[in-house]
């Protein structure tokens, strides 16, 4: 059996006296869609930031395709082809859509001058793939002038454009309309076929259950459930998210498991 | 890393039920302008609401007013007098515009340097002393290096201690003012033998209808334009000033970008210090001779549409802002208004411009 794409081992994160993540370990397989579930404050976003190399873990190890990643940071994860849609979208409102999408990864000539026409054209193309988001007038539009859903689409478009091996989505559908949400879930299934793994963080268990091959449930900074889709139900996931470890136990008892 | 999305991949987020017809109507790439004029019109549309267009209109209106007044009463309001024009357009505006660009680039990256005025005194003294002892070229290098050095000291304090730049550089402004006395005593540093034809030609030559300073503004303004609005480093400055954590999440290093912004700021201030020193031939240590420049440079940037919160501003806007301030100052002088009117007026202008910027930020598209 080949090694998983990414292995997270024993991650602990402390903010001052608060332990936000407590000894969390899990794998993300190649071409696998993993659902990361849990109540508000469970530590999902913190885990996403650590996996993306944006925030340092207090403790923990990371393995990529079986090889240890020494000193994980954003530069390394970028090199590995990891793209993340952060919950707080990570856009610069005062900049245009194009400049947001290519921020830090501008297409330039040898002098470092940006090829703005080329970037605008690609932006239009990438946003066109996000057709269910209406009302974007031009790639030159400032992000400040976009609606929440449109801004989220820009963040999604950026990650979609640059991802190569792993796409992490932290509550990507919170501002999207129903149809755009359906389309995004559809896209995650399509990604699998292209050999790209993804991690979907969401509140909506039905969304997660629809597309994810495996579900990880977090509760107060601990991993309390890690199951394949075949081995669980929406009801069990709900019990885990709402009731924690105790919830899972009661659910299993009630089912005579 | 591939930047090209395969064209045949189809809509990424199209809902399964979206029909072909709807998809086609909405396509953004089909709406992209193809002709030069089309692109120009699109650019113009998205420049509106970003400050520089509005401020240019204000400048034009003011100029028309001045020219009219000067034509009606050439003696009472001598704006069109060649001496006056040369002083304003070729000397005052270029110096303030270069300082405004310095302050503006730093503000775009999200920081301030309130030691700008005293730094000018220090740089000018370094330039004068080194020019006198080691010649012009060494003096130019030393003057600019002094500016970069001061800014990097200030910048390092701000970037590494995370003390707000307002406080840190306000404190440092007293330090650099004192340092200029430490270096030169309390008597002025004076350009004597080193102020030769070459030095004057480079920094203060009167070519009839324009002076060296204006040429420098054109050169520096052009480079600044390509740097800020076309170069990726300039793009990173907007990103860091606009949303530092967003820039960091995409692996831009805010500390590095801010230090580069401080260094550019310092280099431009150093250069402006040379222009000031050559024009006046001397510099009084202590910093009081140049302290007004701090406020005026920030005012030029703000009047030109630079956001006090970072992430927003333009080269053209800042140059127009500097021109507007110097024209207002000139108008007050020509109208024989008492000196304090000028500071009073610049103070009010900053406040009005900031309110205007705030309103525009909401309108920007
Ligand atoms: N920068 C931070 N400093 C201190 N505490 C933080 C920070 N970021 C997150 N936390 C805390 O960590 C916990 C988990 O937050 P988060 O990862 O955002 O949870 P989730 O995404 O599951 O809702 C919360 O209690 C939150 O207050
Ligand atoms: Mg979260």
């Amino acid at each position: 059996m080949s090694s998983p794409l990414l292995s997270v081992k024993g991650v602990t994160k402390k903010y001052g006296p608060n332990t936000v993540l407590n000894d969390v370990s899990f794998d993300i397989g190649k071409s696998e869609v993993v659902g990361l579930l849990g109540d508000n404050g469970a530590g999902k976003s913190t885990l996403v930031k650590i996996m993306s190399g944006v925030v340092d873990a207090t403790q923990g190890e990371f393995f990529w395709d079986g090889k240890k990643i020494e000193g994980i940071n954003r530069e390394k994860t970028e090199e590995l082809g990891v793209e993340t849609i952060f919950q707080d979208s990570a856009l610069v409102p005062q900049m245009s859509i194009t400049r947001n999408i290519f921020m830090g990864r501008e297409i330039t000539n040898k002098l470092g001058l940006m090829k703005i026409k080329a970037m605008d054209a690609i932006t239009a193309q990438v946003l066109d793939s996000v057709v269910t988001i209406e009302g974007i007038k031009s790639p030159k539009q400032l992000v400040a002038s976009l609606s929440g859903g449109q801004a989220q689409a820009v963040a999604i478009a950026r990650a979609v454009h640059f991802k190569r091996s792993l796409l992490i989505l932290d509550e990507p559908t919170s501002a999207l309309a129903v149809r755009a949400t359906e389309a995004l879930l559809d896209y995650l299934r399509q990604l699998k076929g292209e050999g790209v793994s993804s991690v979907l963080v969401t509140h909506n268990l039905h969304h997660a259950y629809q597309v994810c091959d495996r579900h990880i449930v977090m509760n107060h900074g601990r991993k309390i459930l890690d199951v394949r889709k075949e081995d669980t139900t929406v009801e069990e996931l709900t019990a885990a998210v709402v009731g924690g470890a105790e919830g899972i136990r009661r659910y299993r008892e009630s089912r005579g498991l | 890393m591939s930047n090209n999305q395969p064209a045949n991949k189809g809509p990424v987020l199209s809902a399964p039920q979206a029909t072909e017809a709807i998809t086609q109507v909405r396509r953004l790439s089909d709406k992209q302008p193809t002709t030069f004029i089309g692109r120009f019109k699109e650019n113009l549309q998205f420049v509106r609401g970003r400050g520089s267009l509005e401020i240019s209109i204000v400048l034009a209106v003011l100029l028309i007013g001045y020219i009219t007044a000067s034509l009606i009463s050439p003696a009472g309001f001598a704006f069109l007098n060649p001496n006056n024009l040369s002083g304003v357009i070729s000397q005052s505006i270029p110096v303030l515009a270069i300082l405004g660009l310095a302050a503006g680039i730093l503000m775009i990256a999200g920081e301030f340097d309130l030691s700008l005025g005293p730094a000018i005194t220090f740089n000018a003294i370094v330039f004068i002393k080194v020019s006198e002892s080691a010649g012009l070229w060494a003096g130019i290098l030393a003057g600019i290096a002094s500016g970069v050095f001061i800014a990097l000291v200030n910048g390092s304090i701000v970037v590494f201690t995370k003390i707000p730049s307002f406080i840190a550089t306000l404190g440092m402004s007293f330090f650099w003012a004192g340092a200029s006395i430490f270096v030169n005593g309390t008597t002025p540093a004076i350009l004597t033998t080193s102020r030769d034809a070459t030095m004057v030609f480079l920094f203060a030559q009167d070519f009839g209808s324009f002076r060296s300073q204006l040429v420098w503004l054109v050169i520096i303004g052009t480079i600044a334009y390509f740097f800020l609005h076309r170069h990726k480093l300039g793009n990173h400055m907007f990103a860091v000033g606009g949303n530092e954590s967003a820039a960091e999440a995409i692996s831009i290093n805010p500390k590095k970008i801010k230090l580069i912004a401080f260094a550019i700021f310092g280099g431009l201030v150093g250069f402006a210090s040379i222009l000031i020193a050559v024009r006046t031939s001397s510099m009084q240590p202590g910093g009081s001779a140049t302290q007004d420049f701090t406020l005026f440079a920030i005012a030029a940037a703000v009047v030109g549409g630079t956001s006090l919160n970072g992430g927003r501003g333009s080269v053209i806007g800042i140059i127009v802002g500097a021109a507007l301030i110097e024209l207002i100052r000139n108008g007050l002088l020509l109208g024989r208004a008492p000196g304090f009117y000028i500071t009073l007026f610049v103070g009010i202008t900053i406040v009005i411009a900031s309110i205007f910027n705030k309103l525009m930020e909401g309108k920007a598209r």
Side-chain angles (χ1 to χ4, degrees):
Chain A
M1 220 188 108
S2 76
S3 327
L5 184 69
L6 175 68
S7 279
V8 173
K9 294 221 164 96
V11 164
T12 295
K13 176 68 185 175
K14 290 184 178 154
Y15 281 117
N18 299 335
T19 303
V20 173
L21 291 173
N22 198 337
D23 194 20
V24 178
S25 303
F26 60 90
D27 292 342
I28 294 161
K30 286 169 187 155
S31 304
E32 194 181 26
V33 185
V34 176
L36 187 56
L37 312 173
D39 209 352
N40 265 336
K44 306 180 297 293
S45 293
T46 307
L47 193 54
V48 163
K49 285 177 189 161
I50 290 174
M51 285 160 63
S52 313
V54 173
V55 163
D56 290 332
T58 310
Q59 230 172 2
E61 291 182 320
F62 304 87
F63 297 84
W64 187 265
D65 204 3
K67 279 195 286 289
K68 187 168 178 187
I69 314 175
E70 299 288 350
I72 188 169
N73 59 32
R74 178 59 191 134
E75 263 154 55
K76 285 196 182 156
T77 59
E78 190 177 339
E79 225 176 88
L80 295 169
V82 180
E83 277 304 312
T84 306
I85 299 153
F86 294 99
Q87 191 170 8
D88 41 14
S89 89
L91 298 174
V92 181
Q94 301 92 325
M95 288 167 76
S96 72
I97 296 174
T98 296
R99 284 172 186 248
N100 265 284
I101 288 191
F102 286 95
M103 190 166 81
R105 294 182 281 212
E106 298 83 358
I107 302 176
T108 65
N109 66 13
K110 285 202 190 76
L111 291 172
L113 295 175
M114 296 183 285
K115 297 182 175 169
I116 292 181
K117 228 195 321 172
M119 295 197 302
D120 277 346
I122 295 174
T123 299
Q125 210 180 44
V126 181
L127 282 174
D128 269 341
S129 11
V130 194
V131 284
T132 38
I133 305 296
E134 283 184 84
I136 294 179
K137 283 177 251 144
S138 155
K140 293 190 188 302
Q141 211 178 330
L142 295 189
V143 165
S145 69
L146 299 178
S147 72
Q150 290 167 342
Q152 203 156 34
V154 171
I156 293 172
R158 176 169 68 190
V160 161
H161 181 61
F162 286 105
K163 59 94 190 55
R164 292 195 318 283
S165 50
L166 176 60
L167 183 63
I168 305 175
L169 311 93
D170 194 351
E171 314 244 4
T173 58
S174 55
L176 293 187
V178 177
R179 211 161 80 176
T181 303
E182 289 298 323
L184 179 64
L185 298 179
D186 230 45
Y187 173 66
L188 292 183
R189 287 190 202 103
Q190 179 191 326
L191 265 186
K192 248 173 92 72
E194 294 168 20
V196 175
S197 311
S198 50
V199 175
L200 175 65
V201 179
T202 177
H203 265 116
N204 192 318
L205 300 176
H206 294 277
H207 288 165
Y209 195 74
Q210 263 183 56
V211 293
C212 298
D213 303 315
R214 203 152 51 83
H215 301 276
I216 294 171
V217 180
M218 301 286 301
N219 184 270
H220 295 300
R222 283 175 200 275
K223 183 176 93 172
I224 54 166
L225 193 65
D226 187 342
V227 282
R228 294 190 308 163
K229 179 179 185 163
E230 305 87 87
D231 303 330
T232 188
T233 58
V234 176
E235 288 74 31
E236 185 181 35
L237 294 176
T238 310
V241 168
V242 175
E246 173 65 17
I248 301 173
R249 198 185 54 76
R250 264 190 274 122
Y251 171 81
R252 288 188 179 163
E253 240 167 39
S254 74
R255 289 294 168 103
L257 295 169
Chain B
M1 174 169 315
S2 158
N3 280 321
N4 295 309
Q5 193 80 354
N8 59 353
K9 240 183 79 188
V12 169
L13 288 191
S14 70
Q17 63 267 47
T19 66
E20 274 305 303
I22 291 175
T23 313
Q24 271 163 18
V25 172
R26 290 173 189 150
R27 284 184 69 83
L28 197 57
S29 30
D30 298 339
K31 284 196 280 179
Q32 286 292 93
T34 46
T35 60
F36 177 78
I37 294 180
R39 274 201 301 280
F40 180 75
K41 270 166 78 178
E42 190 190 33
N43 276 320
L44 201 66
Q45 181 188 357
F46 289 100
V47 163
R48 272 170 54 196
R50 292 185 198 180
S52 48
L53 203 65
E54 289 78 1
I55 193 72
S56 303
I57 294 169
V58 175
L59 180 74
V61 170
L62 188 80
L63 264 178
I64 292 170
Y66 276 22
I67 292 169
T68 315
S70 179
L71 287 175
I72 292 171
S73 161
F77 194 80
F79 178 68
L80 290 176
N81 178 309
N83 273 336
N84 183 59
L85 274 187
S86 157
V88 177
I89 296 174
S90 271
Q91 296 182 293
S92 311
I93 291 177
V95 169
L96 185 60
I98 291 169
L99 290 172
L101 286 174
I105 287 173
L106 198 50
M107 283 166 71
I108 286 169
E111 300 294 344
F112 284 93
D113 193 333
L114 295 183
S115 73
L116 188 153
I120 292 176
T121 296
F122 191 94
N123 301 333
I125 288 173
V126 168
F127 166 72
I128 292 171
K129 286 183 80 110
V130 175
S131 294
E132 289 290 311
S133 61
L136 174 62
W137 302 107
I140 296 173
L141 268 181
I144 295 173
S146 157
V148 174
F149 172 76
I150 290 178
L152 280 179
V153 171
N154 293 348
S156 303
I157 295 173
V158 170
V159 166
F160 294 113
T161 64
K162 300 208 165 137
I163 297 171
S165 57
F166 259 123
I167 306 300
T169 59
L170 184 64
M172 289 310 284
S173 78
F174 294 103
F175 177 83
W176 297 116
S180 67
I181 298 178
F182 184 78
V183 169
N184 201 60
T186 51
T187 54
I190 302 172
L191 279 173
T192 54
T193 51
S194 69
R195 196 177 192 278
D196 57 7
T198 316
M199 184 188 277
V200 173
F201 175 82
L202 278 177
F203 300 117
Q205 184 79 24
D206 190 349
F207 294 99
S209 47
F210 64 93
R211 284 173 190 261
S212 315
Q213 290 100 316
L214 189 61
V215 178
W216 282 116
L217 174 58
V218 172
I219 295 171
I220 290 174
T222 307
I223 296 173
Y225 178 85
F226 278 98
F227 174 76
L228 260 187
H229 301 302
R230 290 284 176 268
H231 198 274
K232 65 175 182 199
L233 259 183
N235 205 44
H236 294 180
M237 298 202 168
F238 281 97
V240 167
N243 184 350
E244 191 170 332
S245 58
E248 209 167 5
I250 220 93
S251 81
I252 295 174
N253 181 345
K255 286 194 173 89
K256 186 179 122 193
I257 296 297
K258 286 187 171 183
L259 281 176
I260 294 174
F262 267 102
I264 293 171
F265 165 86
L268 287 175
V269 172
F271 188 80
S273 310
I274 296 174
L275 292 180
I276 292 166
V278 176
R279 182 181 181 184
T280 56
S281 288
S282 72
M283 185 52 73
Q284 174 68 42
S288 55
T290 55
Q291 67 186 9
D292 281 354
F293 278 117
T294 310
L295 182 66
F296 277 67
I298 292 174
V302 173
V303 169
T306 312
S307 167
L308 288 162
N309 304 319
R312 191 165 170 276
S314 75
V315 170
I316 294 172
I318 292 168
I319 293 175
V320 173
L324 193 63
I325 287 176
E326 285 300 344
L327 282 179
I328 290 169
R329 172 154 47 185
N330 186 236
L332 291 170
L333 280 172
L334 292 173
R336 298 181 188 84
F340 68 86
Y341 266 73
I342 293 167
T343 20
L344 192 146
F345 200 88
V346 169
I348 292 285
T349 311
I350 296 185
V351 175
I352 292 176
S354 312
I355 295 171
F356 183 75
N357 282 351
K358 189 110 192 156
L359 293 176
M360 289 323 289
E361 253 157 61
K363 283 230 183 76
R365 5 190 195 174

